[in-house]
Amino acid sequence: MLVDFFLHLKARQLPVSTKELLALLAALEARLVGHSVDDFHLLARTILVKDEALYDRYDRAFGEFFKGIEALPGLDALIPEDWLRLAAQRHLSEEDRAKLEKLGYEKLFEEFKKRLAEQKERHAGGSKWIGTGGTSPYGHGGYHPEGIRIGGDSAGNRTAVKVWEKREYRNLDDGVELGVRNIKVALRRLRRFARQGAETELDLDGTIAGTARNAGWLDLKLRPERHNAIKILLLLDIGGSMDDHIRACEELFSAARAEFKHLEHFYFHNCVYESVWRDNRRRHDERRSTWDLIHTYGPDYKLVFVGDAYMSPYEIARPGGSVEHWNEEPGSLWLERMTATWPRAVWLNPMPEAHWQYSPSIHMLKQLLSDRMFPLTLDGLERAMTSLSR
Amino acid sequence: MKFEGTDTYVTTRDLTLAVNAAVTLERPLLIKGEPGTGKTLLAEEVARALGMPLFQWHIKSTTKAQQGLYEYDAVSRLRDSQLGDPRVEDIAHYIVHGVLWQAFECETPAVVLIDEIDKADIEFPNDLLRELDRMEFHCYELHRTVKARHRPLIIITSNNEKELPDAFLRRCFFHYIRFPDKETMTRIVNVHFPGLKRELLKEALAVFFDLREVPGLKKKPSTSELIDWLKLLLAEDIPPEALRAKEAKDAIPPLHGALLKNEQDVHLFERLAFMARRKS
């Protein structure tokens, strides 16, 4: 059975290995846990899952796999008879009670269980239908499971059985959310290239160790100088359609600020033209010419655009296409100039990648950047950083 | 030998299970979680509860894996040779034992804490693979292999600043300490302040959990900060009524410096409080 479970996890794209399965079996053999699905759920998680970002995926896979198991006769008894008895008494009308006397408890229980099972099915899509919710257990006239729950005072093991259905770890899943910390981890990829160039610096520790090993003969060791090789020029699209993505951009920006010593940032609207600005409140009087930018920040900088690239194609292709002013030269020309200076420039797009194909402007910009446009997700950032550091 | 939490450390079922799995199967246990949820404390409490000696290895950005095994103090040897010290003949005098060596040679089973492993260089975990797996390493200077007498219980903490390599993760058990819910938090506080008035605790916890819900906080207050704050509240003898934010004139909790560690967070909170006041 565990092999099936293991393969099921694997099929749900959890990175589990045989070694870990063996460890789990060893743990079971050592009788670490009793006969409780809860404990097994926790134990298997401890041993098989190595990242809290995968907890949610694991919980879902576990739920899927053990859904059938719960229906096994042994586990059925988790709903104690006396709960049902109590609940039945509370829920039934006089009439039903009269009927009950005729039918006897046995039959009623069967009915009850059946309904309960039905309820459970319907609730499976939601979460925590038993145990946690329920401000008013009597509110639902029918045989609502929450009514059952108040039937028995000791919620006990029943409340916890479905712990994996609560999906408490949902917000740790890295496919979904992009936190500052995650971005920082992704940006750190660029850091690896810190020691570059010729060997120019005296490695004092190495020299001492080498000299001592050499029995006192001086053995000079040199190493490449450490310098902050990474300088970032960040150009951010601001206003208009970018308002939807402000949060993601803010997070990216604050992470980048903390990660790179040499970070210069400027703003543009929709597409880059002859000038950009640094302070968005004074965008009209404190502009900086793009030529200036190209000359000031040479090719040792790495250029990163952030923008949704969502605009009218004219804004890229035609002189005068800009929505804000009359531009003498088309945006595409400016982009070509910039990619000539920074040939590895990347564009980060906060729009989901699946939507790109519907916008011609995104397509055009992607071509201008020779396909180096990446979505603003963790995965996209990693790809962008790899592309930048090549 | 089972770990069940201690009188000063409240554990949840999943955490005890993870620790016991690591103890029984003799595998390293990797602990992650928000700062201030008691990751480092866990090792100390496990050592205390199981009556084992604790060896601590705090990792910095410059720490090398080799330092945990041993270091050859070449400089001392060079100096001794210049001074004609007879000790220089034996290289063993200049081998400084690291934390893992000490734990391996320990007479009794021990607990080793490798604290904040993510601070180290990206290759650091990879350099420890064999040592953690086989619990042995080779000392080249002495031509001998140091082997663990008893496999120590290794507890590793991480703050998630770097991704750990897969090969390393495969060898560990993993547990993520979730932020405690209200019930667990009440237990934790009771352990630290047994005489705390119910009223005050209730109000304080309400304020604390509300604060954690404030959207956009840069750093959410954690368990250890709650404990500090309660300490202050007690020292200043703040009455529980003062914490009832909704009626109070200013909605900023007293002594908030213990909870909010960031200027921007305090500003954000002040702004929200101001808006709430204006609404009412």
Side-chain angles (χ1 to χ4, degrees), chain B residues 266-277:
Chain B
V266 176
H267 279 312
L268 175 77
F269 199 73
E270 275 167 354
R271 242 188 358 253
L272 286 176
F274 177 71
M275 268 150 61
R277 236 176 308 155

Side-chain angles (χ1 to χ4, degrees), chain B residues 21-241:
Chain B
V23 172
T24 315
L25 297 183
E26 304 181 321
R27 295 289 185 93
L29 178 63
L30 173 65
I31 300 279
K32 274 201 222 168
E34 271 184 51
T37 38
K39 298 188 290 290
T40 307
L41 213 55
L42 176 72
E44 291 169 21
E45 296 294 334
V46 168
R48 203 160 64 85
L50 302 181
M52 305 202 273
L54 173 67
F55 297 92
Q56 304 194 31
W57 185 12
H58 299 280
I59 308 297
K60 291 187 279 184
S61 62
T62 50
T63 307
K64 296 269 178 303
Q66 185 65 32
Q67 292 167 351
L69 312 178
Y70 67 91
E71 277 180 294
Y72 171 36
D73 188 358
V75 180
S76 296
R77 195 173 188 211
L78 187 61
R79 188 198 57 210
D80 284 356
S81 79
Q82 311 263 298
L83 298 175
D85 194 318
R87 276 160 51 95
V88 80
E89 294 302 319
D90 188 0
I91 197 169
H93 289 133
Y94 303 96
I95 301 290
V96 182
H97 296 192
V99 173
L100 285 179
W101 190 322
Q102 290 168 27
F104 285 2
E105 300 244 291
C106 188
E107 296 292 334
T108 56
V111 179
V112 177
L113 168 68
I114 303 182
D115 203 15
E116 311 205 30
I117 194 166
D118 54 326
K119 296 276 177 296
D121 189 68
I122 209 150
E123 290 301 326
F124 179 88
N126 279 334
D127 294 345
L128 282 178
L129 288 183
R130 189 184 153 78
E131 284 73 14
L132 294 185
D133 215 22
R134 310 290 296 273
M135 298 284 178
E136 65 176 43
F137 60 88
H138 192 74
C139 175
Y140 296 97
E141 282 80 358
L142 299 180
H143 307 293
R144 65 174 267 226
T145 301
V146 180
K147 209 168 164 25
R149 291 185 194 185
H150 310 274
R151 286 178 72 96
L153 170 64
I154 298 187
I155 294 182
I156 303 162
T157 73
S158 162
N159 273 325
N160 226 0
E161 288 196 3
K162 283 196 191 79
E163 297 272 333
L164 297 169
D166 276 351
F168 178 79
L169 291 175
R170 295 249 177 277
R171 287 165 169 80
C172 301
F173 289 170
F174 171 73
H175 183 72
Y176 179 82
I177 301 190
R178 202 158 54 86
F179 194 82
D181 53 12
K182 228 168 189 162
E183 206 176 298
T184 318
M185 192 56 98
T186 316
R187 272 168 61 211
I188 293 175
V189 173
N190 277 334
V191 158
H192 287 269
F193 304 100
L196 199 66
K197 270 174 274 167
R198 265 191 113 94
E199 191 72 350
L200 181 70
L201 175 61
K202 212 176 112 208
E203 296 294 343
L205 279 184
V207 170
F208 175 73
F209 277 97
D210 279 353
L211 197 59
R212 276 182 63 85
E213 292 298 311
V214 171
L217 276 193
K218 287 216 173 343
K219 155 99 180 63
K220 289 182 179 174
S222 68
T223 316
S224 57
E225 279 154 350
L226 171 69
I227 304 284
D228 287 346
W229 184 53
L230 284 174
K231 239 181 243 165
L232 279 178
L233 287 181
L234 281 184
E236 297 277 323
D237 208 14
I238 304 267
E241 297 81 49

Side-chain angles (χ1 to χ4, degrees), chain A residues 214-245:
Chain A
N214 246 0
W217 289 102
L218 194 62
D219 179 13
L220 278 182
K221 296 260 193 237
L222 294 171
R223 65 177 167 195
E225 197 181 351
R226 181 198 278 269
H227 52 112
N228 263 318
I230 306 304
K231 301 174 181 173
I232 299 283
L233 181 60
L234 194 63
L235 291 183
L236 297 133
D237 182 0
I238 197 151
S241 53
M242 280 301 283
D243 285 353
D244 307 343
H245 311 295

